[in-house]
């Protein structure tokens, strides 16, 4: 079959309005996933544009602290219908996560009304874990990684509505082209690294793996990517050199589920940077248990400035229940070593998981005081569809509410969130409002 060049518009679904979500809106980095899809489609001869409605699609653009406010005046409000009228795509591909499920459905219905012949494809975490929830305005639903499935749809090799992605076809991420940063550079994304040092700019995000070998019960990653796979260390290193030459960037943020999951790759990557004597700086998502003192020293020598670490709890009982496979002792041992070597620690902690008591929360707070992370971000647990904890709360009917996006609020959620975030916090006000609209009674819990 001769391939006819097609036009594909890739978009992120618009983020909810301020005060319309129980979660933070994220830190406004360029969408790597769409970058990968665009690069693969272009490599196969198709024309692609990206519009990031999640970052720039409306009112939130003017309220997001991570958006460079000086740049705002240079950007126009994005009218997606106008963009479609001028680009005239054959397909529109929408990336959807649970937080923007409702806005995605609204937009899809609107697009169907104005452009009934435009083929709509959806993908991303939410369609992957809950394909049955996607409205029939979407002609295709891609499960998991999208590159090969999307190309099959665009080139007419499939007519199935639900299509399974790359993980069933290839384990080799080295075969995929890198995202084209020309699509993002110059737009008012968050190009800085304020969490670590105020003056680090620009910082480029790179995604070098998909999936995670661990199985934390609050996390739904295994349903999105069934196994871990990573880009080779040599290719990552070459990519950094390439970006440094083209954009003058020296600092990188490896933004993925667990950059350090493959210890062999991590060692080899650090060795490459040290051997070549190149002064790159980088931060990444990581666990601490597997990092030996020797490896931590080596990471620092290779330019590691900081780690994003999901500690989640200081209670041995809760950590075990989470199937975290890291202990309180791991944190007590590794944090001083990281700090001693000048590696900063951004940490997340979650309260309100199943069977957690006040004594467990105290253990968490004590541990935070003891290990003194550079940054502490505390959250109250909300159930993400299909994760083990979500299923447990659902089966035991231990929840106050499930909202339109599918988030589950366990018993005591509003009480804990009010105590942790404060009653003026927009997340708390949102949940209070939807509870009131739906006549939901909440359970009081003492911190
Ligand atoms: S929480 Fe992190 S370490 Fe645990 S399974 Fe999810 S991605 Fe892996």
């Amino acid at each position: 079959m001769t391939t006819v060049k097609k036009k594909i518009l890739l978009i992120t679904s618009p983020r909810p309005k301020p005060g319309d979500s129980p979660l933070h809106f994220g830190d406004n980095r360029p969408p790597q996933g769409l970058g990968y899809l665009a690069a693969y489609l272009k490599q196969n001869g198709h024309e692609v544009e990206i519009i990031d409605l999640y970052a720039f699609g409306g009112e939130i653009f003017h309220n997001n602290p991570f958006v460079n406010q000086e740049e705002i005046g240079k950007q126009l409000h994005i009218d997606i219908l106008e963009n479609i009228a001028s680009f005239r795509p054959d397909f529109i591909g929408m990336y959807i996560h649970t937080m923007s499920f409702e806005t995605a459905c609204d937009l899809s219905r609107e697009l169907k009304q104005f452009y009934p012949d435009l083929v709509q494809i959806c993908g991303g975490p939410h369609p992957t874990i809950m394909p049955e929830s996607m409205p029939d305005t979407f002609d295709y639903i891609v499960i998991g990684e999208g590159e090969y499935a999307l190309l099959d749809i665009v080139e007419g090799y499939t007519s199935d509505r639900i299509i399974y992605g790359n993980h069933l076809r290839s384990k080799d991420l080295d075969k995929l082209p890198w995202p084209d940063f020309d699509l993002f550079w110059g737009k008012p994304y968050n190009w800085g690294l304020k969490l670590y040092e105020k003056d680090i700019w620009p910082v480029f995000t790179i995604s070098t793996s998909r999936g995670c070998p661990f199985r934390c019960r609050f996390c739904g990653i295994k349903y999105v990517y069934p196994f871990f796979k990573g880009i080779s260390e040599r290719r990552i290193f070459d990519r950094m050199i390439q970006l440094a030459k083209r954009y003058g960037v020296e600092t990188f943020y490896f933004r993925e589920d667990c950059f350090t999951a493959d210890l062999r790759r991590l060692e080899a990557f650090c060795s490459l940077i040290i051997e070549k004597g190149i002064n790159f700086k980088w931060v990444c998502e990581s666990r601490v248990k597997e990092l030996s003192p020797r490896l931590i020293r080596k990471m620092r020598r290779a330019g590691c400035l900081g780690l994003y670490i999901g500690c989640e709890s200081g209670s041995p009982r809760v950590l075990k229940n989470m199937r975290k496979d890291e202990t309180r002792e791991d944190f007590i041992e590794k944090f001083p070593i990281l700090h001693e070597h000048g590696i900063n620690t951004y940490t997340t902690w979650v309260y309100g998981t199943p069977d957690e008591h006040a004594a467990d929360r105290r253990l968490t707070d004590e541990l935070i005081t003891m290990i003194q992370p550079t940054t502490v971000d505390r959250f109250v647990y909300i159930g993400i569809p299909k994760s083990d904890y979500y299923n447990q709360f659902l089966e035991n009917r231990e929840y106050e509410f499930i909202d339109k996006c599918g988030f589950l609020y366990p018993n005591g959620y509003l009480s804990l969130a009010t105590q942790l975030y404060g009653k003026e916090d927009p997340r708390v006000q949102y949940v209070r409002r939807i509870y009131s609209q739906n006549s939901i009674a909440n359970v009081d819990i003492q911190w």
Side-chain angles (χ1 to χ4, degrees), residues 58-309:
E59 198 181 340
I60 189 66
F61 183 55
H62 295 276
N63 292 308
N64 190 323
F66 293 106
V67 172
N68 180 348
Q69 298 293 315
E70 286 169 19
E71 290 289 324
I72 285 176
K74 298 177 194 167
Q75 301 285 322
L76 294 174
H77 176 80
I78 296 169
D79 183 331
I80 186 68
L81 297 178
E82 259 179 32
N83 274 274
I84 292 172
S86 62
F87 181 51
R88 302 176 67 81
D90 302 293
F91 299 87
I92 187 160
M94 198 187 304
Y95 173 90
I96 305 168
H97 49 63
T98 299
M99 182 161 64
S100 56
F101 170 66
E102 202 183 356
T103 53
C105 295
D106 289 346
L107 178 59
S108 173
R109 283 188 277 268
E110 195 180 351
L111 293 177
K112 199 49 104 186
Q113 191 187 337
F114 283 93
Y115 296 99
D117 296 330
L118 177 60
V119 180
Q120 294 191 32
I121 307 164
C122 65
H126 195 85
T128 294
I129 53 178
M130 299 190 77
E132 69 284 358
S133 70
M134 302 316 297
D136 57 13
T137 44
F138 287 106
D139 303 286
Y140 294 97
I141 301 169
V142 173
I143 307 289
E145 300 162 80
E147 285 86 355
Y148 300 151
L150 194 52
L151 190 66
D152 278 354
I153 296 168
V154 165
E155 297 190 348
Y157 288 107
T158 181
S159 55
D160 296 343
R161 182 167 182 253
I162 296 184
I163 300 152
Y164 291 85
N166 310 2
H167 53 263
L168 294 178
R169 310 191 199 183
S170 169
K171 288 188 176 180
D172 191 355
L173 282 184
D174 281 350
K175 287 191 177 140
L176 295 177
W178 288 106
D180 176 2
F181 262 87
D182 284 350
L183 292 167
F184 307 128
W185 185 234
K187 293 188 177 158
Y189 284 108
N190 176 12
W191 298 101
L193 206 54
K194 289 185 184 147
L195 292 170
Y196 294 93
E197 291 175 31
K198 279 204 167 60
D199 54 350
I200 296 186
W201 190 97
V203 176
F204 274 34
T205 36
I206 308 184
S207 168
T208 74
S209 68
R210 295 177 185 177
C212 174
F214 300 97
R215 289 291 176 260
C216 305
R217 295 180 68 212
F218 53 85
C219 175
I221 190 69
K222 66 184 171 193
Y223 296 103
V224 181
Y225 303 118
F227 48 79
F228 173 86
K229 56 187 175 183
I231 292 173
S232 63
E233 63 278 1
R234 180 78 230 184
R235 199 157 169 257
I236 300 170
F237 177 77
D238 290 346
R239 172 67 167 168
M240 292 163 88
I241 297 280
Q242 186 191 53
L243 291 173
K245 281 188 184 151
R246 181 162 175 80
Y247 302 99
V249 60
E250 290 177 350
T251 310
F252 301 89
Y253 174 7
F254 297 112
R255 193 177 174 88
E256 51 207 86
D257 295 302
C258 190
F259 177 73
T260 60
D262 179 347
L263 292 176
R264 187 217 58 78
R265 185 182 79 147
L266 176 64
E267 282 261 10
F269 169 72
C270 292
S271 297
L272 258 178
I273 295 186
I274 294 166
E275 279 161 22
K276 302 285 177 192
I278 297 189
N279 188 25
F280 285 139
K281 296 191 271 301
W282 50 277
V283 299
C284 69
E285 321 272 339
S286 182
R287 291 159 48 93
V288 295
K289 178 180 172 179
E290 294 77 19
L291 305 181
S292 67
R294 182 196 60 77
L295 184 53
I296 290 171
R297 266 195 305 281
K298 187 167 181 178
M299 288 165 71
R300 184 67 186 102
R301 279 180 63 213
C304 179
L305 290 181
L307 302 181
Y308 287 75
I309 304 160

Side-chain angles (χ1 to χ4, degrees), residues 10 17 59 84 129 131 150 177 299 328 356 370 418 443:
L10 298 176
K17 290 197 181 84
E59 198 181 340
I84 292 172
I129 53 178
L150 194 52
M299 288 165 71
R328 184 179 165 91
E356 182 205 67
M370 187 191 303
T418 306
V443 178

